[in-house]
Structure formats: C-alpha cells, structure tokens
C-alpha cells in the first residue's frame, strides 16, 4: 500500500525535517524539479517546454526545472505570473538562478506561446492552495486547457484542493502529474482525480515518516492477501457461504451475488431465497438454492428458515435483491451469531430504520453502502458524504465498530482506525449489478477465512480490476464445475 496524505500532513512532514536539519528545502526543491525533468525526458523527448510559474514554492520548482531543461539543451521558456519583486525564500533563489542561466522568463503569456511550445508545465500552485483561482491565473488555466497540448502538473494540478479533491474555481487538466513523496488525497478523490491524469510519485527522501492512516490499496496488496491454495484443498476447507438474497422483481441480483461468491472461491455456497424464485437458480447449478418460504418475497417465516441455515457457515451475505420484504429478524439473528457478514443494498435500507439493530454491529460485519444508502444510515446528506468520503467511512466505521466500504469511483474502506482507497475499475461499472457482484466477492473471500477489512479491500480491488488482472489473482479460486465440463471437449480435441 502507498501512503496518501492531506495538505497538512505533507506540510508537517516537510517542516519536521527542515526544522531539525535533516533536510534543506532548497535541496528538496531541486529534487522535485529532477522528478519532473525525468518524466519530461522520458515521455516527451526532444519536445519544447513552456513552464508557467507562480510566486510560491511550486513556482520555485518551476524555476529549478527550467535550469535542468536548459542543461539538457531543451528548448524552453518560463512565464512568471507573480510579480518578481514579491518572490521570497527558495522561490526567489531559484528565480535568480534561472536568470543567471539565461532562461527566458516572460510575464505575459501570448497566444503565440501556446502554439510555439510542445509541452506545457503547470508550476503555479501546489498543495497549499486554499482559495478560488481567479484573475490572470484563471485566464491562463483556461488557455492551457484549450491549447490541446499535453500538460504536466508539478505536484498537483493548479486549482485542485490537495485534501478534498474539490475544484477551487478552475483547474488545470493535466496529462500527467508528478507528485512528491506521497500521493495526495485530492489526487485520488473526485473530482480532483479526473484533472490529474496519470500520477507519478517522486521521492524526495528515503524517510517514510510515521505510518499514515490513509493508504492506496494496490494489486500487490490483493495478491498478498490471496495466497495460493494448498494442494490438499477440498470444498469443506474453502469455506461455507450463505447468501440471503433475491425477490420476485430482483432475481438478477441474487444470481449475480451468488455467482460472484462462487467465483471468489467459496467451497460450498448456499443461496437462501423466496421459494417463488428458486427455479431461476437452475442456471447456477454449482450453488445450493434453498427456498425459505412459498412466496416470492421475504417475510418473517422466511427469516426463521434462513436463520436455521446459519449453522456451520463461515460467512453470510444479506440484502442483494431482497426488496422491501421484512428481513429485520434475520439481520438481528445474523448479528447475534457473530458470523462474518456482508450487509448490502436493502439490508442497509432496513437497518437504517432499526437503530436498535444498528447498535449490534461488530468487527465481523462489513457494510457496503453507496452514498445514498450511507446518507440513510448515518443521517447526513449525500452532499456531505461526497464532500468527505474518507472521513465519513472512518467516522462511522469507528462509531459502529465495523468495516465500512463506501462505494464510489474511489472506494473508501475503513475499519475505524485506517482507510484504504481503491481506484481500480472504470465507468463501465456504473450500472446495475456491480454492487451485487461486489457483495458476493467479499462474501466468498470471508468464507475462506480472510479478515473482514482485508476481504472488503480485496473485493473492491477485484471488482474494479480488469478482467485479466482479476482472473490472474483469483486463479484456481474462480474455477466452476461448469468450466471443467466446457473444457472437456476442447481437451479431447487437443489430444
């Protein structure tokens, strides 16, 4: 995992090292420029570069970059958008060094400049921006974005809030962002993430600092948590999962979640469903579909029958496609049992109306709400949740003593102490059924003994990962009996 910091955390990290003499800010400014120069040399060899510099340290990085470009004989020029006499500290030092090297520093960006140079570099504002961009800066940002030229952002696209990802009036839309030491929260949260392009982390020091409480969850993290299965595996060893799902009009959700649980590798998968939809499971013979009543929706007798199925189960999922049928007695029984559980969709909506059951959540429970479901659960507005998804996930995971997986383009998963961010996936997942697949994946991983926080993190990554990556990580876990049947003909054909 890679640490993700807020603007304040980054500032403290720097100041602690500058104040005790472990590092000098002027040296770090040089290293930052080296990181941007390396990307330009790799991505845009023999291309001319125009660097837009602000009056603070981000501008200082830009002045240092111009020197490095000049040293490589790259055609380059800078545009200083602040008044030269107002420059101070390291920014002023690097400004004067750039002038000494014969760097051209203009004060007014003409339209001809955008035509003349191949690549634009944004060194106007860094992580310290806290006000709306306006005036000449807003005008330049508009021109940069309209130029059609690739834009490389230094540390953060100007206009993106480093902590929240909010757009402060206007923002540069970068092709690449070279950030320093750690990812910034605003680079991974929407809408800021959209403006960052591809993000590269360039180290300024080998010191990692204190452990962060927000981290980016990566492919290698999922791989580490999904160890290879031993040769002597059998279905009993690989976990028994129960999914209490489905209703007349939402049969697809039941099938998707159950199939995903099987694909995640659960050894024995049981779907408890209203009797009226059991025939639909003929398309999924690997799962045991057990009717809990004679109807087409959930009711209290159905909850009683499903509760009887909890015995010897390693994980349970409740909610995918259950509709408005009453499942509160089942929720209560599952929470009392302490079995690792995934509560999704309509289970969350019903839980929101039952505070006495909400109080029974525990460390083995994973909640998987989207922002609207989260709003119903916690009583906040959707806008409040979207403004701080990291804080929301962490706050309520701590308050409810469970794991909260707050879904979104950037998924925030928390156990109450730390937060993991998942950015795998694409807009293709923004359709019905994706949440059901996620719930099933997590349930299958839980059934195999993976801890709730880890199962939620892996499930989110696998859902978002490309098909090849997900299949490669799951390997033998995702093999279904029907796959063997389908392969027989091909196997014989190849003999």
């Amino acid at each position: 995992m890679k640490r993700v910091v807020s603007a304040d955390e980054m500032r403290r990290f720097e100041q602690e090292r500058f104040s005790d003499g472990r590092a000098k800010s002027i040296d770090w400014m040089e290293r930052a420029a080296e990181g941007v120069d390396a990307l330009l040399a790799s991505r845009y060899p023999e291309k001319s570069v125009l660097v837009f510099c602000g009056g603070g340290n981000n501008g200082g990085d830009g002045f240092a970059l111009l020197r490095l470009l000049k040293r490589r004989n790259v055609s380059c020029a800078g545009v200083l958008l602040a008044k030269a006499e107002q420059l101070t500290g390291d920014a002023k030092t690097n400004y004067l060094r750039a002038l000494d090297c014969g760097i051209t520093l203009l004060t007014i960006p003409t339209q001809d400049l955008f035509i003349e140079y191949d690549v634009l570099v944004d060194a106007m504002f860094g992580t310290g921006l806290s006000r709306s961009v306006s005036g000449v800066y807003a005008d330049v940002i508009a021109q940069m974005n309209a130029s059609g030229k690739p834009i490389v952002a230094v540390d953060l696209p100007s206009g993106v809030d480093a902590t929240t990802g909010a757009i402060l009036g206007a923002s540069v839309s970068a092709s690449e962002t070279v950030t320093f030491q750690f990812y910034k929260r605003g680079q991974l949260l929407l809408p800021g993430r959209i403006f960052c392009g591809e993000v590269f982390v360039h180290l300024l020091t080998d010191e990692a600092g204190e452990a962060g409480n927000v981290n980016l969850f990566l492919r290698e993290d999922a791989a580490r948590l999904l160890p290879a299965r031993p040769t002597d595996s059998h279905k009993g060893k690989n976990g028994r999962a129960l999914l209490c799902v489905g209703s007349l009009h939402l049969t697809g959700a039941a099938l998707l979640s159950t199939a995903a649980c099987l694909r995640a590798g659960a050894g024995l998968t049981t779907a408890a469903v209203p009797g009226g939809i059991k025939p639909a499971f003929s398309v999924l013979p690997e799962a045991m579909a057990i009717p809990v009543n004679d109807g087409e929706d959930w009711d209290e007798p159905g909850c009683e029958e499903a509760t009887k199925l909890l015995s010897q189960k390693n994980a349970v999922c409740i909610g995918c496609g259950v509709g408005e049928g009453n499942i509160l007695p089942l929720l209560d029984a599952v929470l009392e049992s302490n079995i690792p559980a995934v509560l999704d969709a309509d289970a969350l909506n019903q839980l929101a109306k039952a505070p006495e059951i909400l109080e029974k959540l525990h460390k083995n429970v994973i909640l998987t709400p989207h922002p609207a479901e989260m709003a119903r659960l916690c009583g906040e507005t959707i806008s409040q949740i979207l403004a701080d998804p990291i804080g929301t996930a962490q706050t309520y995971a701590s308050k409810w003593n469970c794991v909260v997986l707050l879904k979104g383009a950037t998924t925030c998963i928390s156990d109450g102490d730390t937060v993991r961010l998942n950015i795998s996936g694409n807009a293709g997942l923004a359709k019905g059924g994706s949440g059901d697949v996620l719930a099933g994946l997590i349930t299958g991983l839980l059934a195999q003994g993976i801890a709730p926080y880890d199962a939620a993190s892996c499930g989110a990554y696998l859902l978002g990962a490309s098909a090849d990556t997900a299949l490669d990580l799951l390997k033998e876990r995702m093999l279904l009996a029907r796959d063997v049947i389908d392969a027989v003909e091909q196997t014989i054909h190849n003999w």
Side-chain angles (χ1 to χ4, degrees):
M1 282 180 278
K2 299 293 185 181
R3 186 179 174 189
V4 183
V5 299
S6 66
D8 285 343
E9 287 172 326
M10 189 65 208
R11 192 176 299 111
R12 287 197 300 271
F13 180 86
E14 293 174 332
Q15 292 304 319
E16 286 170 3
R17 281 145 190 82
F18 297 158
S19 62
D20 64 15
R22 279 180 285 173
K24 293 182 179 180
S25 59
I26 190 73
D27 293 337
W28 278 21
M29 194 170 281
E30 192 75 11
R31 290 174 197 165
E34 289 170 354
V36 181
D37 184 50
L39 180 131
L40 289 168
S42 172
R43 287 287 177 98
Y44 305 104
E46 301 180 8
K47 299 293 185 181
S48 58
V49 180
L50 181 63
V51 183
F52 292 88
C53 301
N57 286 340
N58 202 243
D61 296 337
F63 301 136
L65 172 64
L66 284 163
R67 280 193 293 103
L68 299 178
L69 292 170
K70 183 83 170 180
R71 186 181 302 168
R72 288 200 293 114
N73 295 316
V74 174
S75 175
C76 62
V79 178
L80 174 59
L81 297 172
K83 294 181 179 179
E85 59 270 22
Q86 294 178 340
L87 297 174
T88 61
D90 296 334
K92 182 176 181 179
T93 298
N94 272 319
Y95 168 72
L96 295 174
R97 288 177 177 177
L99 291 179
D100 288 342
C101 289
I103 298 294
T104 301
L105 282 169
L106 308 169
T107 56
I108 300 175
T110 64
Q111 193 60 43
D112 289 344
L113 285 175
F114 291 96
I115 299 172
E116 180 180 351
Y117 288 91
D118 301 317
V119 181
L120 310 180
V121 173
D122 165 25
M124 293 181 286
F125 299 109
T127 58
L129 183 66
S130 58
R131 56 182 172 78
S132 289
V133 177
S134 60
V136 65
Y137 291 100
D139 292 339
V140 167
I141 287 173
Q143 289 177 288
M144 292 175 74
N145 290 342
S147 70
K149 301 293 178 70
I151 303 173
V152 176
V154 178
D155 204 12
L156 192 75
S158 293
V160 173
D161 187 292
T163 300
T164 68
I167 303 305
L168 302 174
S171 174
V172 166
S173 183
S175 308
E176 295 93 6
T177 296
V178 181
T179 197
F180 308 124
Q181 199 62 29
F182 307 112
Y183 286 100
K184 312 306 182 293
R185 294 188 184 189
Q187 293 164 344
L188 302 177
L189 297 174
L190 294 182
R193 178 178 154 195
I194 298 170
F195 290 81
C196 291
E198 191 173 358
V199 179
F200 299 86
V201 179
H202 179 69
L203 295 181
L204 303 177
T205 174
D206 291 334
E207 287 188 65
E210 63 185 19
N213 67 347
V214 180
N215 294 281
L216 177 62
F217 192 84
L218 301 169
R219 184 188 191 280
E220 52 263 35
D221 302 311
R224 175 178 53 82
L225 295 171
L226 293 172
R229 280 188 165 176
T231 305
D232 64 348
S233 285
H234 58 75
K235 61 185 180 183
K237 273 190 174 182
N238 293 329
R240 295 173 168 83
L242 173 67
L243 295 96
C244 303
V245 292
S247 58
L248 176 61
H249 299 295
L250 298 168
T251 305
L255 291 168
L256 286 168
S257 56
T258 305
C261 183
L262 286 163
R263 286 291 187 191
L268 291 166
T269 298
T270 302
V273 298
I277 71 166
K278 182 184 183 302
F281 275 78
S282 62
V283 301
L284 199 60
E286 295 88 351
M288 294 175 285
I290 298 180
V292 295
N293 59 22
D294 295 326
E296 297 171 331
D297 295 294
W298 282 85
D299 53 20
E300 290 194 27
C303 290
E304 291 178 12
E305 289 302 311
T307 300
K308 296 175 184 177
L309 299 174
L310 293 175
S311 177
Q312 297 185 324
K313 295 299 187 295
N314 304 108
V316 61
C317 173
I318 309 176
C320 301
V322 301
E324 298 181 359
N326 180 20
I327 56 168
L328 288 177
L330 178 59
L331 283 172
D332 193 40
V334 167
L335 295 177
E336 289 285 355
S337 74
N338 209 43
I339 297 172
V342 178
L343 306 186
D344 184 53
D346 291 307
L348 300 174
N349 293 332
Q350 295 197 30
L351 193 62
K353 302 173 184 178
E356 71 283 1
I357 299 179
L358 189 64
E359 292 176 359
K360 295 183 180 182
L361 295 174
H362 51 76
K363 288 291 186 183
N364 281 337
V365 176
I366 302 168
L367 307 184
T368 58
H370 55 58
E373 291 165 341
M374 190 68 197
R376 287 190 282 271
L377 276 169
C378 69
E380 296 188 21
T381 65
I382 296 175
S383 296
Q384 288 173 315
I385 290 165
L386 293 176
D388 185 16
I390 292 175
T392 298
Q394 186 171 15
T395 295
Y396 288 99
S398 176
K399 179 179 179 179
W400 295 329
N401 192 35
C402 67
V403 174
V404 171
L405 185 156
L406 180 56
K407 292 185 280 198
T410 298
T411 296
C412 302
I413 309 127
S414 181
D415 63 353
D417 295 321
T418 64
V419 180
R420 294 170 178 172
L421 305 182
N422 176 68
I423 60 171
S424 68
N426 53 62
L429 290 172
K431 62 182 66 171
S434 295
D436 304 309
V437 172
L438 174 63
L441 285 171
I442 297 172
T443 305
L445 298 173
L446 274 180
Q448 294 168 75
I450 297 176
Y453 192 24
D454 292 339
S457 304
C458 284
Y461 181 86
L462 290 171
L463 177 73
S466 67
D468 288 344
T469 299
L471 292 180
D472 179 58
L473 285 171
L474 286 172
K475 294 180 179 176
E476 65 272 12
R477 281 180 172 81
M478 49 72 63
L479 189 72
L480 299 187
R482 75 176 76 171
D483 298 326
V484 177
I485 297 171
D486 294 342
V488 169
E489 179 180 355
Q490 185 63 44
T491 302
I492 295 174
H493 177 75
N494 291 336
W495 283 353

